[in-house]
Amino acid sequence: MAAILSNCSGNEYIEEFENVLGKKNSETLNFLVSDFENDFLKKQYPNLSKKKAYQRFLVELSNLEIEHWQKISKEAREVFKRSDLRLEIYCVADTSWLDLNPAETTSPLIRTKLKCKTEDGSIMVDSSAVPFNHKISDLDSILKMHENFVETNFEGKYNKALNSISDSSPFMTKYVEIRNSFGILPPEMVASEMIESDVDVDDYFIKRLIITEMMY
């Protein structure tokens, strides 16, 4: 009976998470999990079971022994790049430019306009500014680097979905609390926390955290 009740509770959390995240975003996330398992893990660890492959990946990532981003399939990267899910998780760079005479400082700044989605689905525009301490001849390469600049989107459906299921397990409670305080966390740190907490890599939410917090 306890196992049945536990399973029901788990299903309720999954339903809550997907309802808050939205159908289209959930489908995108499900695709990314499937691609990770059937492409990345099988190619990276061809002789291991799925569970063992997940566990090996966490260990290697926690030890910085794997260049994981470069090995994601091109299809999955393109799907994520074009998806609304990306704008739910992150505020992403739209345009960047050099401000030679900023009002707030005497030093030049690289300004970046960011866009992301809010909980109601509308686009929110934000901005960031970082000091430019390089040669002008390096400007093009610096601006290109900022094309990949992202910040945590605390107002999107993904963060709301995480908060809605934060009490689903002790690990999720701790993780969501830290994420709400600090935003994007280093992938190797998340992997180490999962290993230390002895998480179940077959768990629905653990799989999705691996995708959203470590792979993309």
Side-chain angles (χ1 to χ4, degrees):
M1 178 64 73
I4 294 175
L5 290 174
S6 175
N7 186 54
C8 290
S9 176
N11 288 339
E12 290 171 3
Y13 280 117
I14 291 171
E15 183 177 353
E16 173 68 14
F17 178 83
E18 293 191 345
N19 282 340
V20 176
L21 187 60
K23 181 179 179 181
K24 186 176 180 181
N25 292 321
S26 296
E27 288 174 349
T28 299
L29 187 48
N30 291 341
F31 167 78
L32 297 177
V33 171
S34 176
D35 182 85
F36 177 71
E37 292 181 347
N38 295 305
D39 185 86
F40 180 92
L41 289 182
K42 284 187 176 180
K43 289 179 178 177
Q44 191 70 25
Y45 314 106
N47 299 318
L48 297 180
S49 67
K50 186 193 305 183
K51 183 172 184 176
K52 292 291 186 182
Y54 264 107
Q55 292 169 335
R56 177 70 65 83
F57 171 73
L58 290 178
V59 170
E60 291 186 354
L61 183 56
S62 69
N63 293 326
L64 298 176
E65 295 173 348
I66 184 171
E67 295 290 337
H68 56 294
W69 166 248
Q70 293 86 340
K71 298 181 180 181
I72 301 171
S73 75
K74 182 179 179 180
E75 179 186 7
R77 278 183 286 182
E78 285 299 315
V79 166
F80 182 69
K81 184 177 180 180
R82 297 192 306 265
S83 71
D84 287 340
L85 179 63
R86 181 170 179 246
L87 297 180
E88 299 288 0
I89 298 174
Y90 300 116
C91 292
V92 304
D94 186 33
T95 54
S96 296
W97 67 96
L98 177 63
D99 184 352
L100 289 171
N101 299 294
E104 62 268 45
T105 178
T106 57
S107 301
L109 296 173
I110 292 286
R111 296 192 184 276
T112 301
K113 185 175 78 172
L114 304 166
K115 65 178 182 178
C116 47
K117 287 207 168 190
T118 61
E119 189 176 5
D120 65 6
S122 61
I123 294 293
M124 177 176 68
V125 177
D126 199 356
S127 64
S128 73
V130 297
F132 180 73
N133 301 316
H134 306 272
K135 297 177 182 177
I136 292 296
S137 58
D138 295 330
L139 179 59
D140 287 345
S141 61
I142 299 297
L143 291 177
K144 189 170 182 61
M145 286 174 55
H146 279 261
E147 290 178 1
N148 298 317
F149 183 84
V150 297
E151 288 184 349
T152 305
N153 179 3
F154 291 106
E155 302 301 320
K157 292 179 181 177
Y158 176 72
N159 199 56
K160 304 298 182 184
L162 284 181
N163 279 277
S164 73
I165 52 88
S166 62
D167 62 343
S168 60
S169 71
F171 176 82
M172 286 300 298
T173 300
K174 178 181 178 182
Y175 175 78
V176 171
E177 181 180 348
I178 294 173
R179 191 180 191 277
N180 283 336
S181 297
F182 299 101
I184 299 168
L185 302 172
E188 63 274 14
M189 178 186 296
V190 182
S192 295
E193 285 293 329
M194 286 187 174
I195 293 169
E196 185 175 341
S197 299
D198 193 25
V199 299
D200 179 6
V201 292
D202 287 327
D203 179 78
Y204 173 94
F205 295 114
I206 294 302
K207 287 184 176 185
R208 278 143 188 82
L209 285 187
I210 288 172
I211 295 303
T212 58
E213 307 299 321
M214 302 181 199
M215 299 302 293
Y216 294 92

